[in-house]
Amino acid sequence: MHLRPIEQTQGANLYEQVANRIQTLIAEGTLQPGDRLPSVRKVHQQMSVSISTALEAYRLLEDRGLIGAKPQSGYFVRSVKSPPEPDRSSPAQKACRVDTSLVFQVNSMVRDPDIIQLGAAVPGMDLLPLSTLNRLMGQVMRHNPALAHSYSPPPGCIEFRRAIARRLLDADCAVTPDQIVATHGATEAVYLSLRATTQPGDTVAISSPSYYGLLEALATLHLRALELPTHPREGICLDALETALKQKKISACALVSNFSNPLGTCMSNENKQALVELLAEYQIPLIEDDVYGDLSFNGDRPKAIKAFDRHGLVLYCASYSKVLSPGLRVGWAVPGCYQAQVERLKLTVNMSTSPGSQLAIAAFLANGGYDRHVRNLRRAYEQQMLQMIQAICNYFPEETKVTRPTGGHVLWVELDPHFDTMELFQKAGQHKISISPGIMFSPSRSYGNCFRLNCGLPWSPKVEQAMETLGRLIREG
Ligand SMILES: Cc1ncc(COP(=O)(O)O)c(C=O)c1O
């Protein structure tokens, strides 16, 4: 096998690029489990990198669980067992009311510091740049005392909106700062967007399963949900959406576009474009939640659906909760045609998003080392996810299905059709482990045999022990 020389691309570490190239060869089957990898010296010569870069690349692949070293023999491709993936969902295609009482119960476990958080989609705090954020927060408060303590009426601080407009270019969205509204996290952006586009009693088309925060917003606004069949890799079924549109059943569509929660779906550009065109034909708005978009494992930031929007019908919502700080509560909306409504609603609901937080995020984006931080974070999430999948192979029953997201930090696990993950949730709680039972993600309470796992926590003997315990509880039934 001959490896082409590597050309360093901007923003990526050389050893990471070498590792990614070899990972591609493994993923495509050119290198099979058990195959010996080219020697470190060969990588050095053929890819035109130093010996230490080649070694570091192999160490990274080892950390990712893809290769192993044998004494005196070199490196081999590991036979990572790959559990089957769940199929496309087939929800009852009937609009239903949303009841989210369980969500509160599960989320209340987040407050218990003794619980291993495999339930809520929270990042490990050790992975976040807290000290840099704290330093920048102090700086912006000192340099802008009046501004930081004033109301910051919609659309929000210009420094923040300028920084977001620049970042949105990575998602292929060319928007001006004036088109951005600062919000209290993505949760508020989605809530305001739903309020701006619907009336109580209306029906909103959603993926199935869907993020329970969205379901809560639908419940609060007295909206009904129409669950669409959804494939873990391709996303919602556009034919089913078209049928609903033809029958004039829906007033809006709402979904997570990239590395969705809970399925981990990243829609292809073709599907994103087809979705935008289909909705434009019927003049139906789309609420796009893109909180995980920067967390692609291969480093290529996927496009937002908003990038394909020619009519201002996409209301783009996102935040830095998954990448920088969930507690600062800084998010934003790009509401397109609904800008005036969203700004007015924002003013009514809570007047302003904390200007100190907006300025701290803007400062981090300007000079806090955002790109470097995200590179490290996605590498950590990818590694943690691989380790969780490996633990599922080791400890869960053989027929267990699990998604294979290419970004983000959640996994969707499907057990035997008769299994009850609500019971598992109760039993796991007694062992101080939280999971998110499948029925939380469906207004029709489907997915009773599924649950979501958070991979945001750094891998540790404690997390491994929790996975082993979960596996035992599942086997015991
Ligand atoms: C898809 C999705 N949207 C929004 C949120 C919440 O975002 P924020 O903290 O910015 O309100 C989450 C958190 O789990 C999420 O998974």
Side-chain angles (χ1 to χ4, degrees):
M1 174 191 297
H2 191 84
L3 299 160
R4 276 179 294 115
I6 203 124
E7 287 160 28
Q8 183 159 22
T9 52
Q10 221 186 358
N13 283 322
L14 198 53
Y15 74 92
E16 216 181 331
Q17 284 180 52
V18 173
N20 289 345
R21 171 88 68 80
I22 291 170
Q23 184 164 337
T24 306
L25 294 174
I26 296 171
E28 288 170 349
T30 311
L31 285 166
Q32 297 273 339
D35 281 354
R36 188 203 297 250
L37 287 157
S39 67
V40 169
R41 185 162 299 279
K42 215 173 203 174
V43 172
H44 149 69
Q45 287 164 348
Q46 296 184 349
M47 295 180 100
S48 304
V49 295
S50 69
I51 294 267
S52 64
T53 299
L55 256 176
E56 211 166 343
Y58 276 7
R59 279 197 204 110
L60 178 58
L61 289 168
E62 261 189 306
D63 288 346
R64 289 178 182 172
L66 295 172
I67 68 170
K70 284 190 191 162
Q72 269 115 50
S73 309
Y75 288 90
F76 287 81
V77 180
R78 279 182 58 175
S79 49
V80 181
K81 278 190 277 167
S82 191
E85 291 178 58
D87 301 323
R88 190 172 87 163
S89 65
S90 46
Q93 284 174 52
K94 226 174 95 203
C96 49
R97 280 216 236 131
V98 185
D99 168 17
T100 55
S101 41
L102 181 64
V103 173
F104 193 74
Q105 191 188 342
V106 173
N107 272 347
S108 64
M109 287 174 96
V110 174
R111 285 192 288 272
D112 185 339
D114 296 331
I115 292 216
I116 302 187
Q117 301 294 346
L118 303 184
V122 286
M125 285 296 148
D126 298 346
L127 298 173
L128 300 182
L130 303 187
S131 56
T132 309
L133 277 170
N134 288 344
R135 181 172 50 76
L136 292 171
M137 188 82 170
Q139 247 172 40
V140 298
M141 298 301 274
R142 275 195 305 281
H143 293 164
N144 310 276
L147 175 60
H149 289 279
S150 306
Y151 288 120
S152 159
C157 298
I158 183 63
E159 295 83 348
F160 171 71
R161 290 180 291 116
R162 272 199 204 113
I164 298 299
R166 273 197 294 273
R167 279 282 152 194
L168 278 175
L169 292 173
D170 293 345
D172 214 22
C173 291
V175 301
T176 63
D178 293 348
Q179 294 170 308
I180 297 168
V181 184
T183 60
H184 216 68
T187 303
E188 189 186 45
V190 168
Y191 176 83
L192 298 177
S193 299
L194 282 169
R195 265 190 80 173
T197 52
T198 60
Q199 298 292 328
D202 282 355
T203 297
V204 177
I206 60 173
S207 67
S208 183
S210 242
Y211 166 53
Y212 52 71
L214 170 63
L215 302 185
E216 281 195 280
L218 297 180
T220 307
L221 295 170
H222 304 287
L223 295 166
R224 298 165 79 84
L226 178 70
E227 294 176 87
L228 297 171
T230 306
H231 189 279
R233 282 187 185 258
E234 289 151 25
I236 56 164
C237 170
L238 294 181
D239 289 345
L241 176 63
E242 186 162 18
T243 305
L245 288 166
K246 277 191 182 138
Q247 295 168 350
K248 299 197 183 338
K249 274 186 172 169
I250 58 172
S251 308
C253 181
L255 46 81
V256 186
S257 45
N258 296 313
F259 318 120
S260 71
N261 176 0
L263 285 180
T265 312
C266 184
M267 288 172 73
S268 66
N269 285 339
E270 290 71 32
N271 278 356
K272 285 173 178 160
Q273 177 150 19
L275 172 63
V276 166
E277 285 171 4
L278 179 60
L279 290 170
E281 201 182 319
Y282 291 85
Q283 289 291 296
I284 295 293
L286 168 71
I287 292 130
E288 173 184 17
D289 178 342
D290 192 21
V291 286
Y292 295 101
D294 280 357
L295 292 175
S296 139
F297 296 153
N298 70 9
D300 295 335
R301 206 293 179 195
K303 289 188 191 202
I305 298 178
K306 181 80 183 164
F308 299 94
D309 181 25
R310 302 283 165 265
H311 305 279
L313 281 171
V314 177
L315 295 89
Y316 179 87
C317 305
S319 77
Y320 282 113
S321 291
K322 304 297 168 189
V323 179
L324 295 179
S325 162
L328 280 184
R329 307 304 303 134
V330 176
W332 66 95
V334 186
C337 294
Y338 298 88
Q339 170 105 15
Q341 290 95 314
V342 167
E343 286 190 23
R344 217 168 27 239
L345 283 164
K346 169 73 188 167
L347 195 69
T348 315
V349 171
N350 56 22
M351 187 79 87
S352 102
T353 294
S354 159
S357 299
Q358 291 183 58
L359 294 175
I361 295 283
F364 192 95
L365 294 175
N367 47 32
Y370 183 78
D371 291 317
R372 185 169 18 93
H373 162 65
V374 171
R375 232 179 2 255
N376 292 336
L377 190 62
R378 56 179 159 69
R379 197 183 306 150
Y381 283 157
E382 180 182 27
Q383 211 172 302
Q384 285 159 205
M385 196 176 274
L386 278 171
Q387 273 155 323
M388 293 291 265
I389 293 173
Q390 192 60 49
I392 290 170
C393 290
N394 293 346
Y395 303 122
F396 288 23
E398 203 160 337
E399 65 276 11
T400 305
K401 294 181 178 175
V402 63
T403 46
R404 289 303 293 255
T406 51
H409 61 79
V410 294
L411 284 174
W412 182 248
V413 181
E414 187 180 313
L415 301 173
D416 175 274
H418 304 294
F419 198 92
D420 180 359
T421 53
M422 260 316 286
E423 256 180 51
L424 179 66
F425 166 70
Q426 304 290 358
K427 287 185 194 161
Q430 288 161 14
H431 292 265
K432 296 278 181 199
I433 302 165
S434 82
I435 57 162
S436 294
I439 60 171
M440 288 170 68
F441 300 87
S442 159
S444 59
R445 303 220 149 200
S446 309
Y447 312 113
N449 62 323
C450 302
F451 66 100
R452 188 193 67 186
L453 274 176
N454 173 37
C455 307
L457 304 184
W459 188 251
S460 67
K462 217 168 145 189
V463 175
E464 172 138 31
Q465 175 77 55
M467 290 296 283
E468 192 174 355
T469 306
L470 278 180
R472 181 170 51 75
L473 295 174
I474 295 167
R475 284 175 191 282
E476 286 168 6

